[in-house]
Amino acid sequence: MEPFGGTMTGTPRPRTISTKRERIAQLAKQGPTMAFTSLSHHIDLDWLKEAYRRTRKGGAPGVDGQTAEEYAKNLEGNLRSLLNRAKSGTYRAPPVRRVHIPKGNGETRPLGIPTFEDKILQRAVVMLLEPIYEQDFLDCSYGFRAGRSAHQALEAHRESAMKMRGCWIVEVDLRKYFDTVDHGHLKELLRRRVRDGVVVRLIHKWLKAGVMEDGSLSYPESGTPQGGVISPLLSNVYLHYVLDEWFASDVKPRLHGRAYMVRYADDLVMGFASKSDADRVMAVLPKRCARYGLVLHPTKTRMVDYRQPRRSTDRSGPGRSGTFDFLGFTHYWGKSRRGNMVPRTKTMRKRLTRSVRKIAEWCRSNRHRSVAQQRRKLNEKLRGHYEYYGVTGNYRCLATFWYLVQRVWRKWLDRRDQQRHMPWARFNRLLLRYPLLTPRIAHSYHQRAANP
């Protein structure tokens, strides 16, 4: 007899799995306060095969040293074993391997690397929970959600600020958010929607899984699974109840004027038409966060006068109103081409500096490669930069980045050997043969307004 969800030996059936997920979403929508007590029966071999297909194969190995290629050599047997251990409760969540990556401010950011098999199982559970919480998450949330992006979050802020003709911005910075999520509160919040024994047990194991660093094993008492596939979802669930739902149901009804909130993961801003409303929220926000074990950064959490300035003498630069940073951009009021005051964005200075520094490091380390190879890789990096920072009104920063990349490239081509032989005249001739991608606007507010 063929098991529910497809054959045990064939390839997974995405349509069948999609139907299951649609059914879960439908039930979640029909019962917004219902807790699911039976979910794990959906996880079968085909479900794990689809989870395997969605798992990135090129990542670094975890503490067991097993790569995706090695796991795939006996994929069917490995997935069967994983399924049995997950359902029977004998699965043991392995510790994550911690490495540190540099940040732009000279500090380092800890990064957890789970085992490949753990990633598959976490992906399988995410596939179960996403349809439920997508019915609960509010429109103000944009991070790590299917069909939503950072650029949509930026546009939502821009449109809200435009409608209010400026506002008072509360720039919120949660200090080390992913490391401070309280496990007790998280479990309590999850139980509002998920009470399936297998799923709850697995999540608890991931929360308790240790961290291996330099041969030493530790067990953090707070935080979401580092580097885990399930971490973004758990983090979104936590902030949905702590901030999103609270702001929509408790804060906004008590305000005198209009207000909005835009959140991308743990980066969020709140906009208020009235300064008194902003003051009230600023006063109560630390208490709300402290109730759930979160801490606001004392200097980065601040209020900004983002009201539309009366006049601006500089079309491209900030006007009299305050500026703030959000999602890699500095936000300010400036003149449009038609002379109207509009919210504008430009690449944050430290992001621009950091990007150029990374290009310089790459050019220095790869100056021995052929010019054609270097040009190909640099164009990939330029394309990625334009894809994110190429928003309406930010062309000048893109052009600056393009120019600085050329300077850095010429510098390290000039130092390929002891004899300096790359003056600007020669470099410009080289650019005719090996041109670098010119700046382009990848996200146009005007095109989206014309074709929503």
Side-chain angles (χ1 to χ4, degrees):
M1 180 177 178
E2 182 178 298
F4 181 61
T7 63
M8 294 295 286
T9 57
T11 57
R13 296 180 177 180
R15 290 186 180 180
T16 304
I17 295 171
S18 177
T19 301
K20 290 182 182 181
R21 285 163 53 86
E22 289 174 0
R23 177 57 179 163
I24 295 172
Q26 184 181 11
L27 291 174
K29 188 174 183 179
Q30 291 174 350
T33 60
M34 178 184 70
F36 286 77
T37 58
S38 179
L39 280 173
S40 58
H41 66 278
H42 292 298
I43 301 181
D44 54 17
L45 190 60
D46 281 346
W47 191 280
L48 286 182
K49 286 182 179 179
E50 178 64 12
Y52 165 81
R53 187 186 69 82
R54 298 185 182 193
T55 302
R56 190 168 71 92
K57 310 299 190 297
V63 293
D64 61 355
Q66 188 177 47
T67 64
E69 182 179 347
E70 294 170 344
Y71 194 87
K73 290 179 180 178
N74 184 25
L75 182 61
E76 189 94 0
N78 287 332
L79 292 182
R80 284 181 183 275
S81 172
L82 178 60
L83 179 63
N84 292 334
R85 283 177 284 140
K87 292 291 186 72
S88 64
T90 59
Y91 179 79
R92 297 183 63 182
V96 299
R97 182 168 66 89
R98 176 183 282 175
V99 296
H100 291 268
I101 58 177
K103 295 173 62 176
N105 56 5
E107 300 178 357
T108 60
R109 185 192 307 275
L111 178 66
I113 304 176
T115 64
F116 183 73
E117 184 176 68
D118 204 44
K119 293 178 184 178
I120 296 174
L121 189 54
Q122 288 191 32
R123 175 62 65 188
V125 174
V126 168
M127 289 164 55
L128 275 181
L129 300 184
E130 273 182 343
I132 299 174
Y133 286 107
E134 277 300 317
Q135 313 310 311
D136 298 349
F137 290 158
L138 304 182
D139 288 339
C140 65
S141 170
Y142 290 88
F144 304 111
R145 296 180 60 187
R148 291 188 159 228
S149 67
H151 294 97
Q152 291 176 334
L154 292 168
E155 191 167 355
H157 152 69
R158 182 179 184 276
E159 291 180 356
S160 299
M162 280 280 287
K163 290 178 181 178
M164 297 167 64
R165 295 188 177 182
C167 55
W168 294 86
I169 289 288
V170 173
E171 186 181 1
V172 182
D173 187 284
L174 298 172
R175 194 168 192 176
K176 297 183 178 180
Y177 167 67
F178 291 97
D179 296 331
T180 57
V181 172
D182 183 85
H183 289 174
H185 287 304
L186 177 58
K187 294 174 184 178
E188 178 185 343
L189 296 174
L190 286 170
R191 284 185 61 81
R192 296 187 184 184
R193 279 304 233 167
V194 180
R195 296 181 184 175
D196 179 279
V198 173
V199 175
V200 170
R201 184 168 58 241
L202 286 173
I203 293 177
H204 289 186
K205 288 182 178 181
W206 285 319
L207 292 176
K208 294 179 180 179
V211 175
M212 181 70 71
E213 183 176 5
D214 297 330
S216 177
L217 184 62
S218 61
Y219 296 91
E221 297 181 358
S222 61
T224 55
Q226 289 192 350
V229 177
I230 201 170
S231 181
L233 178 62
L234 296 180
S235 301
N236 263 343
V237 170
Y238 202 75
L239 287 183
H240 165 74
Y241 291 111
V242 175
L243 291 179
D244 301 357
E245 199 175 67
W246 168 74
F247 186 82
S249 60
D250 294 348
V251 174
K252 289 183 70 174
R254 293 177 169 85
L255 301 179
H256 300 298
R258 290 183 294 174
Y260 70 91
M261 184 176 84
V262 177
R263 181 176 67 82
Y264 188 91
D266 61 329
D267 292 331
L268 67 140
V269 293
M270 302 175 179
F272 302 89
S274 168
K275 185 177 184 299
S276 62
D277 288 339
D279 286 331
R280 292 167 60 195
V281 173
M282 277 287 288
V284 74
L285 188 59
K287 301 176 184 177
R288 175 68 182 183
C289 291
R291 177 180 173 185
Y292 290 90
L294 303 179
V295 179
L296 296 177
H297 197 286
T299 58
K300 294 181 180 180
T301 299
R302 62 194 184 104
M303 187 190 305
V304 178
D305 182 356
Y306 192 63
R307 292 175 298 173
Q308 180 175 330
R310 294 182 179 179
R311 65 178 64 178
S312 177
T313 58
D314 183 2
R315 169 182 284 188
S316 60
R320 288 186 177 179
S321 63
T323 66
F324 66 95
D325 297 330
F326 181 51
L327 296 179
F329 293 89
T330 296
H331 299 256
Y332 63 95
W333 282 90
K335 280 189 177 181
S336 68
R337 291 184 177 181
R338 297 182 179 180
N340 301 320
M341 296 304 299
V342 296
R344 301 191 65 172
T345 55
K346 64 178 182 179
T347 309
M348 287 172 53
R349 179 174 297 180
K350 66 178 182 179
R351 292 289 183 92
L352 183 62
T353 302
R354 185 172 66 185
S355 297
V356 174
R357 186 183 299 118
K358 288 183 177 180
I359 293 286
E361 292 172 356
W362 186 91
C363 289
R364 178 180 181 273
S365 302
N366 295 271
R367 62 185 185 274
H368 61 281
R369 296 191 180 189
S370 68
V371 174
Q373 289 177 326
Q374 293 186 49
R375 178 248 187 183
R376 189 181 308 114
K377 191 65 177 181
L378 287 174
N379 276 342
E380 291 178 6
K381 296 178 181 295
L382 285 168
R383 185 180 295 110
H385 188 90
Y386 300 157
E387 282 296 323
Y388 187 79
Y389 293 103
V391 301
T392 301
N394 195 38
Y395 189 87
R396 178 173 292 186
C397 286
L398 298 183
T400 299
F401 181 70
W402 178 66
Y403 170 72
L404 293 175
V405 168
Q406 292 184 67
R407 287 181 61 90
V408 165
W409 193 25
R410 190 207 69 83
K411 171 184 175 180
W412 289 108
L413 285 178
D414 189 46
R415 298 184 181 184
R416 282 160 68 98
D417 51 40
Q418 295 294 334
Q419 297 178 352
R420 306 264 177 121
H421 60 281
M422 190 58 69
W424 272 103
R426 182 177 178 183
F427 180 70
N428 288 332
R429 291 194 300 270
L430 181 141
L431 286 177
L432 294 176
R433 184 177 179 184
Y434 301 100
L436 295 179
L437 286 179
T438 54
R440 70 181 187 90
I441 299 299
H443 306 276
S444 172
Y445 297 135
H446 308 301
Q447 290 181 0
R448 287 194 180 184
N451 300 285

